[in-house]
Amino acid sequence: MMRRSFYQWLMTQRQPVSANEVETFANAAFFDQQFPKQSDNFEQISLYLEENASYLHSMTIFDQAWSLYLASEK
């Protein structure tokens, strides 16, 4: 069974009124046209975010989102 991409999971976290950092990240990533939408590779997404995502204030938020993503795929 193929797991969904991180981006597909992240889009399930979007909220019209952001309540937490992961939801804020999801809302911003929605507008990032270059986001690696098909990837489920931590290193690839992490590198992309470090180099391109000025909307992500801390990589700790990505780490938290990644942990939630992995837990949701079990």
Side-chain angles (χ1 to χ4, degrees):
M1 180 175 144
M2 279 186 54
R3 69 178 175 185
R4 60 188 161 173
S5 74
F6 176 74
Y7 181 83
Q8 290 170 320
W9 172 83
L10 189 60
M11 291 302 99
T12 69
Q13 305 303 302
R14 291 180 62 218
Q15 297 296 326
V17 178
S18 300
N20 66 44
E21 292 176 322
V22 172
E23 292 166 352
T24 301
F25 171 29
N27 292 339
F30 176 75
F31 294 102
D32 182 350
Q33 304 229 350
Q34 303 303 315
F35 196 99
K37 294 178 172 74
Q38 304 306 315
S39 181
D40 64 359
N41 180 280
F42 178 87
E43 287 80 18
Q44 179 186 24
I45 298 168
S46 179
L47 182 61
Y48 172 80
L49 292 171
E50 287 175 6
E51 294 178 351
N52 300 289
S54 59
Y55 55 83
L56 189 60
H57 303 294
S58 169
M59 287 303 289
T60 303
I61 300 166
F62 168 62
D63 292 337
Q64 178 185 3
W66 187 263
S67 292
L68 294 169
Y69 165 62
L70 292 179
S72 77
E73 295 298 306
K74 289 186 177 178

